Amino acid sequence: MIKIENTFAEAFPMKCSRLIVTAHNKNWVKNAAESFCGFATSVIACGCEAGVEAYLSPKETPDGRPGVSILIFSMSSKELSKQILNRTGQCIMTSPTSAVFSGNTGKEKIPLGNALRYFGDGYQIAKVIDDKRYWRIPVMDGEFLCEDYAYQIMGIGGGNFLILGDTVENVLFAAESAVKKMKKVKNIILPFPGGVVRSGSKVGSKYKNLIASTNFDYCPTLKGVTKSKLDKETGCVLEIVIDGINKKDIEIAMRVGILEVKTLSPHCGIRCISAGNYGGKLGPYIFKLRDIV
Amino acid sequence: MIKITLKPKFKIKSEMNLKNLSNHKFNRKLIYKTKILYDNQEIALDKIFEIKIDKNEEIQNELVIFDLNKNCDYLGWKWRDGILRVKSNVGSFLGSKMIAGQIFVDGSAEHFVGSQMCGGKIIIKSNVLDFAGSSLPGYKKGMSGGLIIINGNARDYLGFNIRRGILFVKGNVGNYSCNSMIAGTVILKKKVGKNLGFGMKRGTIFISKKISSLKNFTRIGEIKNSFFNLLNVYFIRSFGLKIFQKGEPLIKYYGDKSLDGTGEIIVKK
């Protein structure tokens, strides 16, 4: 029986935006999305957290081509705006056949085509369709189409749960199974590589300049050295971090992921499910594992 | 939300100026106080129309007018809110200087449909005459926003001086379409008359077949462009109107060269 610890995950408010990227085919959609979401795992050092929310069929995109919905999160409006603009300019505009649209509306605007248009050096064209302005920027494969603004909405970052097991192989298998199911949930992303993080952090460090450092309570190699939360038989811990637009969808994703791990055989090597919390230091959103499941 | 229905008490035989009909703001009291010009005389609205005010289940306010004809001008002048439905033909200056909202006409309209409009939508079931989406007499800037869809034919000077917005004509158009076009988008699905895009500075014109009078335009070649897909998908999803088939090759022309214009005419290959 896989135990669910009586603990909670702790999350914090973030600024968020959704972008829809389309391209000539799925391959170039994927290339653009992967490039945009590269080096966007954690706000600790990347400036933002970004990931693919869902791949979209031509019927779901504004220009009838294959597309992808990307969610990007950051701690401040200014940083979010900067990250979106830089990443769109360097990763999407550069990707052949791509176009980018805002995937949500909101009161706070983030310049997108409005700033990138200057790349057209005077040959850019503005077009208004259904009260939305688009910029057509001439590039070497034709035109880069870009909506005038993206829009900021409120999001939540840092929903999480930990999978504790005996070996790396077993915990990795459980984490992969959970991620596969969780990726089907809308309005969330799993920003870490493959949706899984091994270097869970705690707030602060013994070194003054570091804002985060390794969560040694859960490091198996420090059992006996520090006050570990791991028992003798636990040899690996992996974390799944969830950012989402609202609390409800993060809860759904956590529930789907935890239940997927729980459906694994009792002999799968998974010992328990826990969560990262910092005793209320981190943020106002609380996700109690037992309540969620 | 309310729905106001107007039915004429008699056949309209003289010129009627309906400019003031845009000022009621869907207010029950104001509608009865509205005066309109009929045969050059100011007359209270309820002397000419039977007025019925009901609750409307739609999200927007609605004004429905029956049995107008080509004598009824300036309907929807500076229209800014709600839906205006015309269940007949209507006269000139329909939706001129319109700001927002929607106008639906079940019949035809005369001249200057949506001239100098800057927002909103006008959808005409049948034909229109000259100067649709153009500038008003004495002005230099035409339609500067919004959308006009004409399901029938349009006559001459369509989109004259058009500056922004979208014009869609499902039927044939007459001569001098998009003359002195400043910018905007015009989609012409069938036959096009003489001198299309003459004096065009910027903007986009779609035509279905190549026409002979494109001397002032340079052929750029075949293009595949996300913007045209976006426009096509928008018209299909919103109005069930297809501009071109998915993946259909399009040829771009660039001009008007005589004015160093950078407008584009897109022709189906």
Side-chain angles (χ1 to χ4, degrees):
Chain A
M1 185 75 179
I2 297 167
K3 187 185 153 196
I4 293 176
E5 281 191 358
N6 187 16
T7 185
F8 59 91
E10 203 178 336
F12 44 90
M14 291 179 95
K15 313 286 191 233
C16 163
S17 186
R18 181 189 274 125
L19 297 176
I20 306 291
V21 178
T22 66
H24 181 63
N25 59 33
K26 279 181 187 174
N27 182 37
W28 286 106
V29 168
K30 203 176 162 213
N31 286 338
E34 280 176 357
S35 183
F36 184 95
C37 300
F39 188 57
T41 54
S42 168
V43 286
I44 293 173
C46 305
C48 69
E49 295 178 8
V52 169
E53 181 192 14
Y55 282 93
L56 306 172
S57 71
K59 283 181 184 173
E60 295 169 299
T61 60
D63 63 358
R65 302 191 302 167
V68 63
S69 167
I70 292 171
L71 288 175
I72 178 165
F73 296 78
S74 194
M75 295 307 288
S76 69
S77 305
K78 197 180 167 187
E79 187 62 30
L80 183 70
S81 182
K82 182 183 149 192
Q83 291 289 340
I84 287 177
L85 187 58
N86 287 346
R87 285 165 187 269
T88 306
Q90 299 304 309
C91 306
I92 295 178
M93 188 164 72
T94 53
S95 177
T97 72
S98 64
V100 63
F101 308 94
S102 171
N104 62 283
T105 53
K107 282 180 184 172
E108 287 196 47
K109 289 177 176 178
I110 298 167
L112 205 60
N114 194 273
L116 292 172
R117 64 184 160 135
Y118 296 107
F119 185 73
D121 203 19
Y123 291 98
Q124 68 273 25
I125 301 168
K127 289 282 176 190
V128 179
I129 300 174
D130 202 19
D131 297 330
K132 284 182 180 176
R133 187 184 295 272
Y134 300 89
W135 287 96
R136 294 167 56 191
I137 302 166
V139 285
M140 295 196 302
D141 73 346
E143 279 179 356
F144 171 55
L145 181 68
C146 185
E147 198 168 324
D148 202 19
Y149 289 101
Y151 298 90
Q152 182 192 299
I153 48 175
M154 289 306 292
I156 299 168
N160 70 80
F161 64 91
L162 304 168
I163 306 167
L164 287 69
D166 53 1
T167 63
V168 173
E169 288 79 10
N170 286 338
V171 180
L172 205 51
F173 177 77
E176 282 172 0
S177 308
V179 165
K180 204 173 169 184
K181 289 274 178 184
M182 290 167 78
K183 278 191 171 174
K184 290 177 184 167
V185 179
K186 287 279 169 77
N187 297 327
I188 61 118
I189 57 160
L190 310 174
F192 283 95
V196 187
V197 52
R198 68 161 182 186
S199 57
S201 60
K202 67 174 183 298
V203 179
S205 160
K206 72 184 234 182
Y207 302 105
K208 279 181 186 174
N209 294 337
L210 273 186
I211 56 167
S213 60
T214 191
N215 194 356
F216 50 60
D217 289 351
Y218 289 99
C219 294
T221 55
L222 297 180
K223 275 191 289 187
V225 181
T226 61
K227 197 181 167 186
S228 180
K229 286 186 178 171
L230 307 178
D231 60 22
K232 278 182 188 173
E233 287 167 25
T234 302
C236 176
V237 180
L238 291 176
E239 184 177 359
I240 297 178
V241 173
I242 308 123
D243 294 340
I245 286 175
N246 53 57
K247 197 180 172 193
K248 193 183 163 194
D249 287 312
I250 293 177
E251 279 175 352
I252 292 170
M254 285 176 71
R255 185 166 183 267
V256 165
I258 293 168
L259 290 180
E260 181 62 20
V261 176
K262 278 202 80 178
T263 56
L264 296 172
S265 147
H267 308 294
C268 66
I270 304 303
R271 300 186 58 76
C272 82
I273 305 283
S274 186
N277 70 70
Y278 308 90
K281 284 183 205 168
L282 196 65
Y285 298 103
I286 302 293
F287 298 92
K288 290 182 181 170
L289 292 187
R290 288 187 179 174
D291 288 354
I292 283 171
V293 176
Chain B
M1 297 296 139
I2 60 167
K3 181 179 177 180
I4 303 167
T5 309
L6 301 180
K7 280 184 185 171
K9 291 178 176 173
F10 50 86
K11 195 175 179 187
I12 299 161
K13 288 178 180 171
S14 296
E15 289 290 316
M16 183 187 281
N17 182 332
L18 292 160
K19 236 180 214 181
N20 290 345
L21 203 52
S22 302
N23 298 335
H24 56 76
K25 296 171 187 168
F26 288 96
N27 182 310
R28 285 164 199 266
K29 285 179 185 172
L30 280 178
I31 192 90
Y32 283 99
K33 283 181 183 175
T34 304
K35 286 181 177 177
I36 54 172
L37 278 176
Y38 182 61
D39 203 10
N40 273 336
Q41 284 178 328
E42 211 172 48
I43 299 173
L45 191 68
D46 60 349
K47 294 244 167 104
I48 299 174
F49 291 96
E50 273 178 25
I51 303 170
K52 196 180 161 194
I53 302 175
D54 302 306
K55 272 191 178 176
N56 195 8
E57 288 173 6
E58 301 281 323
I59 310 161
Q60 286 178 294
N61 288 315
E62 207 172 330
L63 173 62
V64 186
I65 310 181
F66 289 85
D67 301 332
L68 298 181
N69 57 37
K70 65 177 184 178
N71 293 322
C72 306
D73 300 332
Y74 295 101
L75 184 65
W77 175 268
K78 290 187 180 176
W79 188 261
R80 60 168 64 237
D81 182 31
I83 301 169
L84 171 59
R85 288 188 200 278
V86 185
K87 300 284 187 185
S88 63
N89 295 338
V90 69
S92 298
F93 301 100
L94 173 84
S96 290
K97 294 198 171 186
M98 180 177 179
I99 296 158
Q102 296 175 71
I103 299 177
F104 299 94
V105 178
D106 279 356
S108 296
E110 300 277 304
H111 307 289
F112 292 100
V113 170
S115 51
Q116 287 187 212
M117 72 186 281
C118 58
K121 285 174 194 155
I122 300 176
I123 299 174
I124 313 256
K125 204 171 184 181
S126 195
N127 307 324
V128 301
L129 294 182
D130 303 338
F131 293 103
S134 72
S135 53
L136 287 165
Y139 291 87
K140 286 183 178 176
K141 285 172 187 168
M143 171 184 182
S144 63
L147 171 71
I148 301 175
I149 295 176
I150 298 156
N151 283 299
N153 304 326
R155 222 164 66 177
D156 301 340
Y157 292 102
L158 175 93
F160 178 64
N161 282 330
I162 179 173
R163 196 181 171 207
R164 226 176 281 139
I166 304 174
L167 249 167
F168 185 105
V169 184
K170 206 173 173 185
N172 305 326
V173 294
N175 302 325
Y176 313 108
S177 298
C178 309
N179 269 214
S180 303
M181 183 171 182
I182 303 165
T185 306
V186 178
I187 300 146
L188 309 172
K189 288 287 288 176
K190 286 190 178 168
K191 283 182 187 170
V192 179
K194 291 175 188 171
N195 296 322
L196 174 76
F198 186 76
M200 183 179 182
K201 287 167 193 156
R202 294 190 305 277
T204 307
I205 304 170
F206 275 95
I207 51 175
S208 293
K209 282 180 189 172
K210 199 198 164 188
I211 50 171
S212 55
S213 61
L214 286 176
K215 288 172 196 166
N216 289 340
F217 290 82
T218 309
R219 191 181 194 273
I220 297 289
E222 197 174 316
I223 53 157
K224 274 186 182 170
N225 197 309
S226 182
F227 169 71
F228 303 128
N229 288 327
L230 176 75
L231 195 68
N232 197 27
V233 168
Y234 168 68
F235 271 97
I236 291 169
R237 287 180 189 167
S238 304
F239 308 104
L241 298 166
K242 196 177 271 184
I243 303 172
F244 54 86
Q245 296 291 337
K246 196 180 175 186
E248 195 173 358
L250 303 168
I251 307 290
K252 180 176 169 174
Y253 290 81
Y254 175 80
D256 179 340
K257 283 189 290 183
S258 60
L259 282 169
D260 288 334
T262 57
E264 55 185 5
I265 295 182
I266 310 295
V267 189
K268 286 185 194 175
K269 192 175 180 182

